[in-house]
Amino acid sequence: MLRFVGKRLFEGIFVLIGISIMLFIIARIIPGDPARMSLGPRAPQFAVDELRKEMHLDKSLPVQYLYWIKGVLQGDFGKSINTKRPVSTDIKEFLPATLELVLFSGIFLIILSILLGLLAAKYRDTLVDNMIRGLSYIGIAIPAFALAILLLLLFGYVWQVIPVLGRLSSGVAAPIHITGLFAFDSLITGNFTTFFDTLGHLILPALALATGPLFQEARLLRASLVDNMGKEYISVATGYGLPSRVIMTRYLLRPSFIPVVPVMGMDLASLMGNAFLVEKIFNWPGISRYGMNALLNKDLNAISAVFLVFGAIFLLVNIIVDIIVASLDPRIRLGAKS
Amino acid sequence: MNEHLLDIRNLKTWYRTYQGYAQVVDGVNLTIDAGKKIGIVGESGCGKTTTMKSVLRVLDERKAYLPEGEILFKNQNILKMRETELQQIRRKNISMISQEPSAALNPVFTVGQQIFDVISYSKQDDTAKNKKELTDIAIKAIRDVFIPDPERILECYPHQLSGGMKQRICIAMALVTPRELLIADEPGTALDVTIQDQIHRLLRALVDEKQTALIMITHSLGVVRELVDQIYVMYAGNIVEVATTNELFKNPLHPYTRGLMDCVPRLSGGGISAGIYGYVPDYVHPTPGCRFSPRCPYVKEICRVQKPLMLEVSEGHTVACFRYTDSFTEQHRQEESIGERA
Ligand SMILES: Nc1ncnc2c1ncn2[C@@H]1O[C@H](COP(=O)(O)OP(=O)(O)O)[C@@H](O)[C@H]1O
Ligand SMILES: [Mg+2]
């Protein structure tokens, strides 16, 4: 297992290097002089030349890449044109907000999809199954941003039961910075006012973000469960008088999860990138929104940094997925022939 | 009244399909006494597995429908049993070896975990909780089916075993705790002939030793000849002939049985076996008469419209065919013999 993880991490490094080269090239072939862009049209030419030298733009591309990657490794992504701050400062501020949102979304996604999938499979072809199916079609069809607006209007304005917009209500102090995840930081420092307030702010955007993939996963799990129910080993286990509870939770659930986990992992990682509209709507100071703004403003340093961070997270999720699948499926863990 | 171990009476098992009910098992009668060995022979698709899965009630209830029949195990109707009683029968009295050993084991659990589950639900006493005792019982069962290094096998996952080993594990699992009846569904069919032969001898030795009654299912008459005392010949969901093994081979009566005999490879030569023309019929729209009539070389008008009943032609030898009833006139018989000579 350890060797397996080590191997995947090692491979991951190469993928990241690949991504970084690609990002670098894209950033450099986009027309426009970054030095000129950052100084503005009215800056004198000698100042621009000076900056070009400082940014190593006068060197060859491979040398430029090495300078850039050296900076990146030290956490220096350069300055953002938009915020006029070092990109690394921005990332430190915005990344935890999105991570927290996605983690909460992930909790909704995992718990609800398993619950719905199990229910639908257990009561397949009955009213329960049909209702979940109907609900799923709606959940999958409705875009996250539309749902976000709907939730915002209903709960935030019509009924005003849940606080909306931002991560905290005005007047509630941010918790001491430990991880940057407000719910986590406030909980372990015993700051319950902040904890419940930020929890309230999290629910709606997390739900809006999770809904689509949640129903997709529920359908997938149901299909996998129903498929495995027809397998001979289930009939055999039944024939030996094993209780249906044991068959359902042990003999059936584990093999049925195997095809679902990779899709779930990828959907979870995709939430990072897909979050920008929901962040925009809920005024959530997240990195997805930051990245989208960077794209719209050709803020190259910020774009590179955001993509690199997303890439790294994708890889990490991928490795975690592989570990879970390998622990579920001995054929993968022990290397089956087919 | 003589109590049979298992007494299947007029069993009908249908499947729901989009075209309508597939009336697969069509009034099967079968009995087996304690410690006896019988064979059920019929080509694939004739409903052997369906019949036996009906006995353990492991067919998907959404798909299978049993409109008629009784399955008496020691005079208790399995089809009417409550879940708890049924579970006791499955855990302690009857076990079944699946036709597909490769699919019968759960791919994500070790052989040991799966055998332990079977033992602990079968025992339901302190053994069930004692890992050491479970292991001992499992190891003995695996040794009984001649797999070397049982300790290691317990730690293996199914994909790490060969087909022959999986088949043996399935047998070990079925006999890991004492049973009164073992149903073996075409054991070894998925394997090559030499291994199949070993598996059959192994099964026979095990049931003899443990005095377990055996229902041996196969699609080939030659296979059961050495193994069982009595043979049920099945065609398209009907039992068409029942006789002791010797009697059946000496004096096969039903045209289908004779066709099966021709399929048995004969070492003495005699040319290419004739086999039987055609294939198992459509179960959704079965003929009202004898289900074999579309393929029968001796078919007469009555065969197409009326079902032949089981008729005892000699002590312990019954056949369902109009050729052996009185209504099948002498004239027909003569016509037929002329036809045969021609
Ligand atoms: N779940 C099912 N739904 C519909 N038809 C089925 C189902 N299972 C088996 N059958 C049909 O029942 C017939 C008998 O199958 P089976 O009992 O497996 O025969 P055998 O074991 O003698 O080969 C076949 O024609 C098969 O197609
Ligand atoms: Mg079969």
Side-chain angles (χ1 to χ4, degrees), chain A residues 124 232-233 240-241 251 333, chain B residues 53 91 98 106 117 157:
Chain A
R124 65 189 182 286
E232 183 71 6
Y233 56 76
Y240 279 114
Y251 280 69
R333 185 165 68 245
Chain B
K53 286 197 166 181
R91 289 172 188 178
S98 163
N106 195 314
D117 272 348
Y157 289 91

Side-chain angles (χ1 to χ4, degrees), chain A residues 12 15-17 19-20 23 68-69 72-73 75-77 87-99 102 268-273 279 286-288 290-291 300-318:
Chain A
V15 176
L16 271 183
I17 292 174
I19 294 175
S20 71
L23 283 173
W68 180 73
I69 202 77
V72 165
L73 286 176
D76 175 14
F77 292 95
V87 171
S88 54
T89 314
D90 288 344
I91 300 252
K92 254 181 237 145
E93 183 182 332
F94 298 129
L95 180 61
T98 295
L99 275 183
V102 168
L268 264 176
S270 306
L271 291 184
M272 297 282 302
E279 289 183 350
I287 195 165
S288 200
Y290 173 79
L300 289 181
N301 287 339
I303 294 173
S304 309
V306 169
F307 274 83
L308 216 51
V309 167
F310 281 7
I313 289 173
F314 249 96
L315 278 172
L316 198 70
V317 171
N318 230 322

Side-chain angles (χ1 to χ4, degrees), chain B residues 13-17 20 22-25 40-53 59-60 63-64 99 185-186 217-219 234 237 280-281 283:
Chain B
T13 305
W14 298 357
Y15 288 111
R16 297 183 177 91
T17 69
Q23 304 169 20
V24 175
V25 177
I40 301 180
V41 183
E43 68 199 293
S44 90
C46 76
K48 306 179 298 290
T49 303
T50 304
T51 306
M52 290 304 138
K53 286 197 166 181
L59 293 168
D60 182 353
K63 291 199 188 125
Q99 183 174 355
D185 193 356
E186 307 206 19
I217 296 171
T218 158
H219 60 248
M234 190 165 180
V280 179
Y283 286 115

Side-chain angles (χ1 to χ4, degrees), chain A residues 1 4 233 250-259 321-338, chain B residues 102 105-114 153-161 166:
Chain A
M1 200 64 174
F4 175 80
Y233 56 76
R250 259 170 65 79
Y251 280 69
L252 190 60
L253 204 52
R254 185 149 164 195
S256 303
F257 265 135
I258 293 169
V321 162
D322 284 346
I323 292 171
I324 295 175
V325 169
S327 71
L328 286 177
D329 191 350
R331 287 162 297 188
I332 289 173
R333 185 165 68 245
L334 306 169
K337 273 152 243 140
S338 62
Chain B
S102 303
L105 298 167
N106 195 314
V108 301
F109 295 103
T110 62
V111 169
Q113 287 168 311
Q114 297 181 57
I153 295 296
L154 286 181
E155 303 292 319
C156 281
Y157 289 91
H159 77 266
Q160 297 171 303
L161 306 177
K166 276 184 249 189

